[in-house]
Amino acid sequence: MYLPKLHKVWLCQNSQGGIYLTPKMANRHGLIAGATGTGKTVTLKVLAESFSEMGVPVFLADIKGDVSGMILPGEDSEGFQKRIKNKLGLEMQWEFAGYPVRFWDVYGKMGLPVRTTISDMGPELLSRLLELNDTQSGVMNIIFRVADSQGLLLLDFKDLRSMVQYVGDHSAEIKMQYGNVSTQSIGAIQRALLRLEDQGGNIFFGEPALDIKDWFAADTDGRGIINLLHCTELFQNPLLYSTFLLWMLSELYEMMPEAGDLDKPKMVFFFDEAHLIFKDAPRSLLDKVEQIVRLIRSKGIGIYFITQQPSDIPDSVLAQLGNKLQHALRAYTPKERKGLKAAAQAFRPNPELNAESALGELGTGEVLVSLLDEEGVPAMVQRAYVMPPRSYLGTCTEEIRRKAINATPLHTKYAETIDRESAYEILQKRAEQAKEEATAPKENDSLREEIHRSAPRSSARSTADRSTNTRSSTRSSRQPQSMVEKVATSALQTFGRTIASSLARGILGSLLKK
């Protein structure tokens, strides 16, 4: 519970009094750890409520689906009053309250859809999501480079799939500029895309992409909005869940300007089941998370990891978490006892408290706590009870959830999917155009072949026609065209014969005289 007069968050209570979180130190990050059933979710809710009351927006991953009740005020009961009086030692009238909650869901079923584009995800995180090896990750980088050089937008899942196919089909052309793209690598990426699609991961990519700035909001009373991501289904795909969280941290880091030391955070993020973020993550990604956690503090962002064992988080990240609330740990094996001892030693020692023994004795809702003071120095570890939440412990009804989803002003922005022209559509047009161009020469060849086949017959007919015309012309020249021509021809023939006879007789007579 946030107390404006004290300017601190009343987080825990023990026999020595209240234990408070200083708002200006809240962006130094924190850890909530403990075995299952020890009260981590309640501690998370108390912190989230306190930040909301001081006007700080919150992001919270709801893994089990039992945090949605924050939208409703809590209910009084006999057990609740016993906890207030007997364990906390308080004599006061507890005020219950509901909080401004916006519901989100990657799958778009239990909240507003959370989407990002393929380009925003980038080849590095996408390769991790697809579980590609180094060679295949290199091919993924080439795919992004080719798309960028040709001005092809990679927005949704079908854009990426068509781009992978395009690079595979044109591998010989791009080899000299970008390097070798083997058929085996393309096949492996395509199979990984099919696996992701079967798991519903394709729903995460598309437009309108989430603008994280929309999470930086407050209600009319000045309370920070609690952005609740429904993860019950998403949690079944741990790789998609962890990749989403890594993407979100990267977006925050790039988006937020430097802010220096503030009186309170600009926003606080709670990542439940945090071990999933780091499980089997390559060294390059671990380095990136460490960098973000270390530097995002100066941008006014606080990050709180919730997990079972502190050892679930890499030491380089764990060292950046200044505010620690450790619930009970159960140690039944040598490995577990070693982890318990390490968790106890991570606190600043308190001469009056044996932290290692206390960790195995803590009850539900009880913690070992160490918070940063005004100067950023960790306080000595104390044993205390976490304050109870003011909101409802449980889930809200489907009707209340749906009403809240429809009432938010962001509903019109994110509810409907947008599918604008991008790589898939452009490559489809190119393929159709290439098909038309490939078909056109075949049609022309067919036409020329048809003309060639018909040419000899036409030539023969022309030759025959010319021969007929020649014979007709000859016959025409041999046949008189009229009676006058016939008479003239007969007279000339008779005259010729007479002259020939006379000449013959004259020549013969002369010879006889001699």
Side-chain angles (χ1 to χ4, degrees), residues 385-420:
Y385 285 98
V386 177
M387 299 296 290
R390 297 176 64 189
S391 60
Y392 179 67
L393 284 172
T395 60
C396 68
T397 64
E398 180 64 25
E399 181 182 358
I400 293 174
R401 180 190 293 268
R402 190 56 51 188
K403 185 177 179 180
I405 294 171
N406 295 332
T408 175
L410 297 178
H411 183 269
T412 56
K413 181 176 181 179
Y414 292 108
E416 298 297 329
T417 305
I418 298 174
D419 188 11
R420 60 186 173 120

Side-chain angles (χ1 to χ4, degrees), residues 97-114:
Y99 290 82
V101 174
R102 284 180 183 166
F103 296 99
W104 300 85
D105 183 8
V106 168
Y107 298 97
K109 299 175 182 178
M110 305 296 285
L112 294 174
V114 177

Side-chain angles (χ1 to χ4, degrees), residues 31 309-312 315 318 324 326 329 331 334-348 355-356 359 368:
L31 171 70
Q309 291 277 353
S311 58
D312 294 334
D315 291 341
L318 196 61
K324 298 177 182 179
Q326 177 68 61
L329 289 177
K335 183 178 179 180
E336 290 174 339
R337 286 194 291 270
K338 183 178 179 181
L340 186 149
K341 184 176 181 179
Q345 292 175 344
F347 290 100
R348 179 183 171 186
E356 185 175 347
L359 270 180
L368 292 185

Side-chain angles (χ1 to χ4, degrees), residues 117-119 143-167 170 207 418-432:
T117 64
I118 295 290
S119 295
I143 291 170
F144 273 72
R145 290 290 297 274
V146 172
D148 185 60
S149 65
Q150 298 192 19
L152 300 173
L153 294 176
L154 298 178
L155 302 179
D156 52 26
F157 201 72
K158 64 180 184 295
D159 289 334
L160 178 60
R161 192 157 46 190
S162 60
M163 198 66 210
V164 171
Q165 183 66 47
Y166 176 83
V167 170
H170 296 79
E207 289 187 313
I418 298 174
D419 188 11
R420 60 186 173 120
E421 186 178 71
S422 49
Y424 172 77
E425 289 77 13
I426 294 174
L427 291 176
Q428 283 286 98
K429 289 181 181 179
R430 287 186 186 178
E432 292 173 2

Side-chain angles (χ1 to χ4, degrees), residues 50 87-88 106 110 395 439 478:
S50 301
K87 292 187 176 182
L88 298 178
V106 168
M110 305 296 285
T395 60
T439 305
R478 292 175 182 175

Side-chain angles (χ1 to χ4, degrees), residues 418-478:
I418 298 174
D419 188 11
R420 60 186 173 120
E421 186 178 71
S422 49
Y424 172 77
E425 289 77 13
I426 294 174
L427 291 176
Q428 283 286 98
K429 289 181 181 179
R430 287 186 186 178
E432 292 173 2
Q433 184 178 359
K435 185 177 180 181
E436 292 175 0
E437 292 175 354
T439 305
K442 293 181 180 179
E443 293 177 350
N444 293 337
D445 291 343
S446 300
L447 181 60
R448 283 194 293 270
E449 186 178 350
E450 179 65 27
I451 293 173
H452 179 70
R453 285 197 302 268
S454 62
R457 293 194 296 270
S458 299
S459 177
R461 285 195 297 269
S462 299
T463 303
D465 292 343
R466 286 196 298 272
S467 299
T468 302
N469 292 338
T470 301
R471 288 193 298 270
S472 299
S473 177
T474 302
R475 286 194 300 269
S476 298
S477 62
R478 292 175 182 175

Side-chain angles (χ1 to χ4, degrees), residues 134-198:
D134 291 342
T135 301
Q136 295 155 5
S137 298
V139 173
M140 182 63 73
N141 275 280
I142 292 175
I143 291 170
F144 273 72
R145 290 290 297 274
V146 172
D148 185 60
S149 65
Q150 298 192 19
L152 300 173
L153 294 176
L154 298 178
L155 302 179
D156 52 26
F157 201 72
K158 64 180 184 295
D159 289 334
L160 178 60
R161 192 157 46 190
S162 60
M163 198 66 210
V164 171
Q165 183 66 47
Y166 176 83
V167 170
D169 293 341
H170 296 79
S171 58
E173 303 171 21
I174 67 176
K175 179 178 179 179
M176 295 304 296
Q177 184 175 359
Y178 298 104
N180 186 45
V181 177
S182 67
T183 304
Q184 292 82 357
S185 294
I186 291 295
I189 294 174
Q190 289 174 328
R191 290 190 296 272
L193 290 175
L194 286 176
R195 289 197 303 270
L196 181 61
E197 187 175 19
D198 291 340

Side-chain angles (χ1 to χ4, degrees), residues 128 242 245-246 271 273-279 281 289 305:
R128 179 179 187 268
S242 61
L245 298 184
L246 287 172
F271 295 147
E273 300 295 342
H275 66 279
L276 296 177
I277 302 176
F278 307 103
K279 184 180 180 181
V289 173
F305 295 103

